[in-house]
Amino acid sequence: LSRSKEFLVKEYRSKLLDVGADFGQRWKKEIERIGISMNSSSEKLLEAQSAMKQDRLKKEAEIEAWALSSCWDVKCAAEHYFTLSPPEVISEDGKKDEDTAISVAAPTVEGQDAARCIAELLEFAILRLIRLGELALGEEKVNPIRRATSERPADTLKPWVPWKELRKQSRSKSPERKTSSSEAWTIHLSPHVSSWVRNAFSSSSTYEDTYLELAKAAVYINRRAGRFRFASRLEDHRAEVLISRGEYNLAADVLSNNVGACARDQWNRAHYWRIFRLACCQRVSGDVLAYLETLTQSFNPRLSSVAPKKTASLFQNDLEALITDAAVAEPRWGAFPFLETELSIESETAGKSSQPLPFLRRKLSKYLTYVGDELRFNLNINSHLPRAISVNGIRLYLVTLASYEQVYRRNGTVSEEDAFRILSIDAPITIEPGKNQFSFSWQPMSYNVYVLATVEIQWKEASFFYDSALLRKPLVGLDIQPSEPTQTIELNPLFLIPGHVQNVRLVFHSGSDIITGGAVT
């Protein structure tokens, strides 16, 4: 494979150099011929130059087509020799998970080296396809791939339409795939060029289809070679071409699988750009639930420093409009980063200890208190939104440790039925940008071990659940012990003889309490 790659590249460069040298010699002879004939006009000179230039471009196109076709042939041939196909990955519902399968590198070093050579050939083939497109369109027209993958895509130059107005437009007319231009391609390839290449230039649509096919193959092979950043870059280009074609659902699928690549490398600006492009696709396609999740992910503490203020403001406008939609009420939304929560406990008598939780592989930080103590739970909420929001309510779920283990082993989702007690703060509640502090009060009247399991924030139709088991923060609990009694009752004698009338002495110690009445039954 390495030798084939080197041969193709050297042969391609050699052929291009030969064409350039031949053009230079012919042009020199033409100048000499015209110079001898003094009667030749400048128009004839320009005509001769144009004809020779067209001939040169035709020869260059044939060389580009030869290189493109050869790269694809090597890739197809290598697939039958090297084990580049990913192993079958079965998802929980019993179906093949292709996305997970193609996201892993080849299992052997030989396979990775082979995939690396093929990946370089495919990227070389992509460059040849783009160059062929430019030769076919001429100098006055723009290659559709270049236009789609430019620094400022065409759809970003249009005014931003608010979410509600966009929904009204989509109800009247659903987004359709853009029709490809029927302009003629000024390229004529020789018959010995493969039909796969010739068919690519029958129209703009088939040309883009060929590019998407090449790019998809290059993404897959780069991942098998362990070159995940190369694959991520090509996925971005694929998504932009799909957006330019009006295929927003397909583009959203590509971007949603690729948006986390920059987050892993902490490339915050590139990460935010991908989230922005994903949001552009989802809002046009009308995917309410996916768009809500993307918007909440955009207000990430890492991204707040790089997010443009205007973009963040537009995103919050759409977010505030989305949460009034009844469609967002059904899902149980998780702990999204636009709001961060942290719990702590205030008590004058509380001690502290820890208890390992094997089923969670974590430790529970327990505060030791007694029945009847006044407890105060402090909830700190850090908002990364640019403006203040008003939420309907905030609730704290207290679950006994025994029930919590059962819930976690079942599905890990705490519901109202699982909670021993739900503490709440009623509306109106305003959460300002930055740090906010709220508190809950509780006086336990029974002893047990409790876990501060979940914080629920109700915002319009949506409810966001911050489960302590899923957060990278200490798990907080309460160890409620029986308190010292303030009143006692003594009964003498302790044992009575059956069948005999006996006197009973009952002594009641009220301590510091004032007793106004009572009854003995």
Side-chain angles (χ1 to χ4, degrees):
L1 276 174
S2 179
R3 290 180 179 179
S4 299
K5 180 187 70 173
E6 291 177 1
F7 169 77
L8 281 174
V9 174
K10 288 181 179 178
E11 191 70 11
Y12 165 77
R13 290 175 178 173
S14 176
K15 289 185 176 183
L16 278 185
L17 290 174
D18 291 343
V19 170
D22 179 64
F23 175 79
Q25 292 177 1
R26 292 174 58 194
W27 179 240
K28 184 178 180 181
K29 291 180 180 179
E30 186 69 18
I31 290 293
E32 292 176 353
R33 185 183 65 80
I34 294 175
I36 294 173
S37 177
M38 300 300 295
N39 296 327
S40 299
S41 62
S42 59
E43 288 78 5
K44 290 184 178 181
L45 181 62
L46 292 175
E47 288 177 4
Q49 182 185 21
S50 177
M52 293 179 64
K53 187 176 180 180
Q54 291 297 325
D55 184 62
R56 177 183 178 177
L57 293 178
K58 181 179 179 181
K59 291 180 179 179
E60 287 183 359
E62 290 182 357
I63 296 172
E64 300 286 354
W66 168 83
L68 171 60
S69 179
S70 299
C71 291
W72 187 255
D73 291 342
V74 172
K75 178 260 180 187
C76 295
E79 284 184 338
H80 296 285
Y81 183 76
F82 294 97
T83 308
L84 296 177
S85 299
E88 290 187 0
V89 178
I90 307 300
S91 60
E92 296 179 355
D93 55 359
K95 298 181 180 179
K96 292 183 180 180
D97 192 349
E98 296 182 358
D99 293 334
T100 304
I102 65 174
S103 63
V104 296
T108 62
V109 176
E110 181 188 27
Q112 291 185 18
D113 291 341
R116 189 175 296 109
C117 288
I118 299 173
E120 291 173 356
L121 277 174
L122 288 178
E123 292 189 38
F124 182 70
I126 290 174
L127 294 177
R128 306 284 63 79
L129 178 66
I130 294 176
R131 176 57 181 161
L132 263 176
E134 292 170 350
L135 292 174
L137 289 172
E139 298 179 354
E140 297 180 356
K141 299 176 183 178
V142 181
N143 190 317
I145 305 301
R146 296 279 192 192
R147 185 190 303 115
T149 57
S150 62
E151 185 177 352
R152 288 295 303 273
D155 62 300
T156 61
L157 301 176
K158 300 177 182 178
W160 183 272
V161 181
W163 170 252
K164 291 185 178 180
E165 185 177 342
L166 188 65
R167 290 288 285 175
K168 292 179 181 179
Q169 295 177 3
S170 63
R171 290 190 186 100
S172 60
K173 184 178 181 181
S174 59
E176 299 177 356
R177 173 174 171 172
K178 296 179 182 178
T179 57
S180 59
S181 60
S182 57
E183 59 187 3
W185 292 77
T186 59
I187 189 170
H188 302 285
L189 301 174
S190 60
H192 67 269
V193 175
S194 67
S195 59
W196 177 74
V197 176
R198 288 200 303 270
N199 292 336
F201 293 91
S202 58
S203 67
S204 296
S205 179
T206 56
Y207 176 71
E208 292 170 354
D209 289 339
T210 305
Y211 172 83
L212 292 172
E213 181 183 6
L214 263 177
K216 184 177 182 180
V219 167
Y220 160 63
I221 297 297
N222 271 296
R223 285 176 176 167
R224 298 298 283 166
R227 302 169 59 177
F228 298 105
R229 290 178 179 174
F230 285 90
S232 177
R233 173 178 55 82
L234 289 170
E235 283 282 67
D236 280 351
H237 292 175
R238 283 186 63 217
E240 293 297 345
V241 173
L242 290 170
I243 293 174
S244 68
R245 290 157 62 100
E247 299 178 6
Y248 298 103
N249 289 324
L250 294 176
D253 291 340
V254 173
L255 287 169
S256 60
N257 293 328
N258 193 41
V259 74
C262 290
R264 289 189 292 270
D265 294 325
Q266 298 185 10
W267 294 349
N268 296 332
R269 293 186 184 277
H271 183 203
Y272 191 82
W273 171 255
R274 289 181 179 179
I275 287 181
F276 173 74
R277 297 304 286 153
L278 177 59
C280 291
C281 296
Q282 291 169 341
R283 70 193 309 269
V284 175
S285 62
D287 193 343
V288 176
L289 303 183
Y291 187 37
L292 174 62
E293 183 173 355
T294 300
L295 289 178
T296 54
Q297 295 290 345
S298 70
F299 298 106
N300 188 299
R302 286 183 177 178
L303 301 179
S304 59
S305 60
V306 299
K309 293 183 179 180
K310 290 184 178 180
T311 306
S313 179
L314 292 173
F315 274 180
Q316 182 167 348
N317 291 341
D318 279 7
L319 180 60
E320 292 175 351
L322 273 173
I323 59 169
T324 61
D325 195 319
V328 305
E330 184 177 354
R332 187 183 189 274
W333 300 102
F336 288 135
F338 75 107
L339 296 176
E340 292 181 309
T341 62
E342 185 176 1
L343 283 166
S344 60
I345 297 176
E346 283 186 8
S347 175
E348 296 179 357
T349 61
K352 194 174 181 181
S353 63
S354 63
Q355 175 182 344
L357 301 180
F359 61 93
L360 278 178
R361 297 182 180 179
R362 294 177 63 181
K363 287 186 178 181
L364 175 67
S365 298
K366 296 188 301 182
Y367 288 83
L368 178 62
T369 59
Y370 298 93
V371 172
D373 287 353
E374 289 286 345
L375 300 178
R376 181 177 295 273
F377 307 104
N378 291 328
L379 173 63
N380 295 316
I381 298 180
N382 193 8
S383 174
H384 300 287
L385 296 171
R387 298 192 303 272
I389 60 173
S390 179
V391 300
N392 303 9
I394 302 175
R395 304 202 296 175
L396 174 62
Y397 290 56
L398 273 67
V399 183
T400 62
L401 182 58
S403 299
Y404 191 67
E405 182 174 357
Q406 294 177 0
V407 168
Y408 186 82
R409 295 186 183 279
R410 183 178 69 238
N411 56 13
T413 302
V414 177
S415 62
E416 293 186 14
E417 292 75 15
D418 302 316
F420 172 81
R421 180 66 56 86
I422 298 178
L423 308 179
S424 61
I425 304 174
D426 297 327
I429 304 170
T430 301
I431 299 178
E432 298 286 344
K435 295 183 179 180
N436 303 262
Q437 189 176 66
F438 305 93
S439 61
F440 305 87
S441 298
W442 184 46
Q443 186 177 24
M445 301 306 297
S446 61
Y447 62 91
N448 208 329
V449 178
Y450 303 95
V451 179
L452 278 60
T454 301
V455 173
E456 178 189 1
I457 300 176
Q458 300 170 327
W459 187 17
K460 301 294 177 62
E461 297 291 337
S463 293
F464 300 92
F465 293 84
Y466 290 77
D467 297 314
S468 299
L470 303 178
L471 301 177
R472 296 181 179 179
K473 293 177 181 178
L475 201 62
V476 182
L478 290 170
D479 188 359
I480 308 298
Q481 298 290 332
S483 59
E484 293 292 331
T486 59
Q487 304 170 5
T488 59
I489 297 178
E490 294 181 6
L491 176 66
N492 290 309
L494 297 177
F495 301 98
L496 301 178
I497 302 174
H500 294 271
V501 178
Q502 303 169 67
N503 293 325
V504 177
R505 183 168 177 262
L506 187 66
V507 180
F508 181 77
H509 297 278
S510 62
S512 59
D513 298 332
I514 299 175
I515 309 300
T516 59
V520 178
T521 56

